Each structure stands twice: as C-alpha cells, then as structure tokens.
Amino acid sequence: MILKTGLFCSEQVLVETVKDHHSRWRSIRVMYITMFLSSIGFSIVISSIWPFLLKVDTTADSSFLGWVIAAYSLGQMVASPLFGLWSNYRQRREPLIISILINVMANLLYAYVSAIPSHKKYFMLMARAFVGFGAGNVAVVRSYVSGATSLQERTSAMANMSACQALGFILGPALQTALTGIGQTGVSWKAIDLELNMYTAPAFLGAFLGIVNIVLIVALFREHNIDDLGRSINISTEENPELLEECLGDIDGIAVVISNILFFIILFVFAVFETISAPLTMDMYAWTGKQAVLYNGILLAGIGIESMVVFMASKIISKRIGERLMLLGGFMINFLAFFILLPWGNQYPKIQWAEMKNSSAELLLSESSTTMENVALRSTVNSPSESVGCPIQQLWCQYIPVIHLAQYILSAILVGMGYPVCHVMAYTLYSKILGSKPQGVYMGILTAAGSAARTLGPVFVSQVYTHYGPRWTFGIICGLVFLATVLLGATYKKIVGMSARYGRSEE
C-alpha cells in the first residue's frame, strides 16, 4: 500500500495497489457466493414445506405453516444485529464461519424430522429457525461489500450481489423441482434413520453447500476496507476518534429510519407473495401438493430469471435516473402487481366437499349394524386419494370469486420486476447514507427489519388469508405499498448518500 495525504481531511490514506485490488475483489466475489448459497438455503425447500409438514405431522394446519415459514426470518432477525456487531470488532471470517456451521446443522435437523418420534412439527419449526439464525450472516456480507467498495463501485456491486441472491432463488426451486423425481417415499437407510426423498434431499444438499462455502471463505476471503473515494483510511478510531468522526461525517438518523421502514415493506410484500403461492394455487386451481410444488417451483424459477435481468438493467438505468427514482418506480410496480390479484367475476373455486362427505360417512359407520356395511363405509372414509380444492372450513371459498390463473401469472411477472428494483435500490441507498463508517450493526438492523417483515408476512397470510380470503389480504397489501410510496415521495430529499450530503461527491 502507498501512503498519501487525504483529499477532504488531514488524515493519511493508503492508495490501493494492483495486488490489493485483486485480493479485494476476490473477497467480494466470495461474498457474492455466500449470498447466493444463503438464498438457496431458504428457497430450496420453500415450495415443499407445506406438503412435507402435512406428511410428517397430520396435526399441522395452515396457521402453523405460517409460523414454520416465519421461523426462518425470526431467527435471522435475532442473529443479524449480533453478527453485525461481532463483525465490527473482530475479523468478519469468524461470524461467517460460525453462522454457516449453524446453518449446516439446522439443515440436517430438518432432513431428520421424520425420524423424531413425536412433536415433529415443532422440531421442523426449530430447524427452520436455526437455518434463519445462520442466515443472519447476510448482515456481515452486506457490510463487507459496502465497506470494500467505493461510491462508484457500490451500485454495481450491490446489483451483482442481488443478482447472485436472485440466482439462488432460481436454482433453489429448480433444484427442488428436479428432486421431485425421487418421490415422496424415496429411499431409506434404517441403520442411521435416513430417509432420502423429495422433501429431505434439498436439506441435505443445503448442508453440503454450506460446507463448500466454509472452505471458500477459509481459502480465499481477506479483509479489505476503503472509503467512499476508494482509499483505505489510515486513522485509528481508538487513538483519534474525533478526527475520524470529523472526516467521515454524521449519519442522518431520519434517513436511516425511513430506509428501514421502506425495506421492511419491500420484504413484507414479497414474503406475502412467496408464502401464499402454494395455499393460493391449491385452493384456487384444485392442485395437489405435488402439483403446487412443481408448478410454483417453475414459476418462482422464472421470477428469479426475470429478477436477474432486472438487476443487471438496474445498474445501467440507475446511472441515468438515479437510485431514488428507481425505488419510487419499483413501489408503483409492486402496487400494480397486488392490485391485479384482487378477485372479480362470477366463477368460484372448487370446494373440498369430500371432507363433509367423510364426516357423514363416519357418522353412518358408527350407526351401521352389519359387518359388510362397516367394510364398505370404511373403504370410503379411509380413501387414500388427496382432497383438492378450497377447504370447506374457509367460509370465504363459497362467496369470493376465483383468482384466474392469468391474473396470478401476470402478478408474478410484475413482482419479479418491482421487487428486485426496490430491493437493490433500497440497500444501495442505505449503504451510501451510512458512508464509510463501520456498517456491521447498521446492516444488521436493516437485515433485522427485513427479517421482521419475513416473520410477520407469513403470519399475516396464515391469519388474514385463512379467515378472510384473498380480497382482504391483497387489499391490505395494496394499501401498505401505497403508504410506502407516499412516504418515499414525502422524504425524497432526505434519502441521499453521506458524501452527497457533505458535498464530497456528486450523488
């Protein structure tokens, strides 16, 4: 490194050598891979959680499904600030490796849920919570990439990281879809209580990818920190904290709070969409569990491909119109996506009348007097065929019109456009608001805000959708996105980077 006098304060800075530049970008790319593998760990089982939950524990219902899906984000919400704080005071390699090890063990627990004698649904809940706890390293990844890039590099780096995350969302459902060929029974190895089927194979694969990730971090990752202008600051915060504060400037607390609120809404909206996909399609189109996993896996993979294109396009378009305007446009697209899902027309979903018939058959069975009648009725009650359609317990199924398949697909396309724009622009702007200061805790707070959204989103869906149906569910989401758009418009001038606020560079 070459010493040079600072341009905007009196500290000494280090000019980056070619060797350090290559090492820095190699480490950034390792973080891209870590983000990619983290998103695979979440999405590889998301479309099969519901049928797997029903398979391992028949006492589970759609409300409990919401908690199982939310457990991932709840674990991440708790872990993100902790890992972020850890990364501010120690080498980032430490929280990264520990968090991935937790993730590996949690995936193995998920895969072995069926071997547990009782209370299987609670162990499944625990497994997803610890997978999420391990995924709290996203805060460390974001803080590192933000701290290891200059302002000119950051939007592109954030878009690349988001593209890697989107690629994980593509391959996750795609891998789940490919593994459906193993079947619901699959193969078993009783000596070690191993059951390898279409539900457990993705979790075993997730554990293996976690081990690969640890090897990459140990072998290739190195610490690098630069300021907004691409220089390494040569000031010790312990020896001269006042000078560092003067050089870097104060963080705008209002902009930080607004950014976290907007990020929460972005993640909440997407969590609602991905959670509701399986129950909604099974209710509206009378799909079986296997069909819901297959078709939604294909659709989510398509959204992932679309998102990657949007991420790459965002890098170019944001240079022309700016990140704030891109973020505003993304919210408008998301509003349209959920407005389209509002049900209309006079066609209604198929009802699971079979459940009522089974109840009547059970009553007749108890009153019948002959053995032959018992045998005949039992064969009807215990029919192995899967009930399809909208459950009779959901009373709204009888008076809410069906959401047409074209509506659902068009909405998915718009979500695949609006969500990635909002996502990458929100935390690109957030990283610029924080400037060159250590961002571990702040990125942990942002990740926790997103995790809180992923926690509350599935719970919201499981309660509102189950009891009141899609009209209330999507109507509330439209109102929430509208309020976010108004908030961004009202505080538009506050959402600027620290360097732009202090006049050290153009926005």
Side-chain angles (χ1 to χ4, degrees):
M1 303 291 278
I2 303 171
L3 284 174
K4 185 179 179 180
T5 303
L7 297 179
F8 60 86
C9 58
S10 59
E11 90 281 12
Q12 286 187 319
V13 296
L14 299 172
V15 178
E16 188 177 45
T17 65
V18 174
K19 181 180 179 181
D20 290 329
H21 178 82
H22 289 320
S23 176
R24 176 167 65 92
W25 277 99
R26 183 168 57 246
S27 298
I28 290 172
R29 292 184 183 102
V30 171
M31 293 298 95
Y32 291 166
I33 295 172
T34 301
M35 183 67 82
F36 164 71
L37 295 177
S38 177
S39 65
I40 281 186
F42 172 76
S43 65
I44 198 170
V45 300
I46 192 66
S47 59
S48 66
I49 285 178
W50 178 230
F52 185 41
L53 181 61
L54 293 177
K55 182 177 183 290
V56 299
D57 198 326
T58 55
T59 64
D61 55 18
S62 58
S63 295
F64 193 81
L65 169 67
W67 288 107
V68 172
I69 295 177
Y72 175 96
S73 300
L74 184 61
Q76 190 179 50
M77 181 178 67
V78 172
S80 296
L82 299 178
F83 287 133
L85 182 64
W86 188 351
S87 70
N88 274 0
Y89 293 97
R90 300 282 297 176
Q91 291 187 356
R92 291 183 176 92
R93 184 182 298 181
E94 294 178 9
L96 285 172
I97 292 175
I98 295 301
S99 61
I100 296 170
L101 281 174
I102 293 172
N103 196 289
V104 169
M105 299 303 295
N107 270 307
L108 293 176
L109 174 60
Y110 182 91
Y112 270 91
V113 161
S114 57
I116 298 172
S118 61
H119 304 296
K120 296 179 181 181
K121 65 181 182 181
Y122 296 108
F123 282 97
M124 189 171 177
L125 179 73
M126 186 189 305
R128 289 302 293 172
F130 278 106
V131 169
F133 192 90
N137 61 20
V138 169
V140 182
V141 172
R142 286 176 177 161
S143 67
Y144 178 79
V145 173
S146 181
T149 53
S150 65
L151 279 180
Q152 290 182 338
E153 298 168 330
R154 195 163 303 160
T155 300
S156 178
M158 292 296 184
N160 290 339
M161 186 161 60
S162 296
C164 290
Q165 189 174 30
L167 183 59
F169 281 116
I170 294 171
L171 291 183
L175 288 170
Q176 170 72 85
T177 302
L179 292 170
T180 56
I182 300 175
Q184 298 187 46
T185 304
V187 295
S188 59
W189 188 0
K190 292 186 178 180
I192 56 174
D193 291 325
L194 172 65
E195 288 190 14
L196 187 66
N197 53 48
M198 61 180 282
Y199 303 125
T200 62
F204 283 120
L205 181 58
F208 172 76
L209 292 176
I211 295 171
V212 171
N213 196 5
I214 292 174
V215 172
L216 288 174
I217 290 172
V218 171
L220 301 176
F221 180 77
R222 300 294 180 270
E223 293 279 343
H224 294 277
N225 294 283
I226 64 174
D227 66 10
D228 286 346
L229 300 180
R231 310 164 305 164
S232 296
I233 302 172
N234 191 33
I235 294 181
S236 170
T237 57
E238 294 180 359
E239 295 177 0
N240 205 342
E242 295 82 8
L243 182 57
L244 181 62
E245 187 73 20
E246 180 183 348
C247 291
L248 299 182
D250 296 322
I251 294 174
D252 188 338
I254 296 176
V256 167
V257 172
I258 293 169
S259 297
N260 276 279
I261 293 172
L262 294 176
F263 195 71
F264 172 89
I265 294 173
I266 294 165
L267 271 293
F268 183 88
V269 166
F270 188 72
V272 167
F273 183 83
E274 65 186 0
T275 303
I276 208 171
S277 60
L280 180 70
T281 52
M282 291 172 74
D283 291 346
M284 293 293 159
Y285 315 126
W287 289 353
T288 64
K290 187 172 183 179
Q291 286 175 320
V293 171
L294 177 62
Y295 299 150
N296 283 301
I298 294 171
L299 186 64
L300 289 174
I303 292 175
I305 294 172
E306 180 190 8
S307 298
M308 286 191 65
V309 175
V310 173
F311 284 134
M312 295 300 101
S314 297
K315 295 193 295 184
I316 301 171
I317 299 173
S318 64
K319 292 180 180 179
R320 294 178 178 270
I321 67 174
E323 287 100 349
R324 291 180 298 174
L325 197 57
M326 288 278 290
L327 181 59
L328 191 61
F331 273 114
M332 292 178 179
I333 294 172
N334 277 309
F335 175 84
L336 182 60
F338 283 89
F339 184 79
I340 287 173
L341 280 177
L342 293 175
W344 54 273
N346 55 8
Q347 183 180 347
Y348 298 92
K350 178 182 177 182
I351 308 296
Q352 288 186 15
W353 297 111
E355 294 183 7
M356 182 176 292
K357 291 178 180 178
N358 283 348
S359 299
S360 300
E362 287 174 353
L363 180 61
L364 287 172
L365 179 60
S366 64
E367 297 175 350
S368 60
S369 57
T370 67
T371 305
M372 291 301 293
E373 287 175 338
N374 276 331
V375 172
L377 285 170
R378 275 185 206 283
S379 65
T380 303
V381 173
N382 298 326
S383 174
S385 60
E386 179 179 357
S387 298
V388 295
C390 208
I392 189 64
Q393 296 91 339
Q394 296 178 172
L395 299 180
W396 57 262
C397 296
Q398 302 176 46
Y399 59 84
I400 296 294
V402 70
I403 296 173
H404 300 283
L405 185 59
Q407 287 178 263
Y408 179 62
I409 294 174
L410 179 58
S411 175
I413 292 171
L414 290 173
V415 168
M417 185 184 304
Y419 169 73
V421 170
C422 288
H423 189 266
V424 68
M425 293 303 142
Y427 72 76
T428 297
L429 284 167
Y430 188 71
S431 70
K432 291 183 176 182
I433 288 169
L434 299 178
S436 300
K437 294 189 175 184
Q439 297 187 3
V441 174
Y442 283 101
M443 282 296 178
I445 294 172
L446 185 73
T447 303
S451 300
R454 286 187 175 276
T455 302
L456 296 176
V459 175
F460 166 82
V461 168
S462 65
Q463 298 301 319
V464 177
Y465 175 78
T466 301
H467 295 98
Y468 303 105
R471 185 170 286 164
W472 272 98
T473 301
F474 300 131
I476 292 173
I477 293 299
C478 285
L480 188 63
V481 176
F482 178 76
L483 291 176
T485 307
V486 172
L487 176 63
L488 178 57
T491 58
Y492 193 79
K493 294 182 179 180
K494 293 289 293 182
I495 310 299
V496 295
M498 182 183 289
S499 292
R501 191 156 54 90
Y502 281 92
R504 293 199 285 261
S505 67
E506 294 183 3
E507 185 181 359

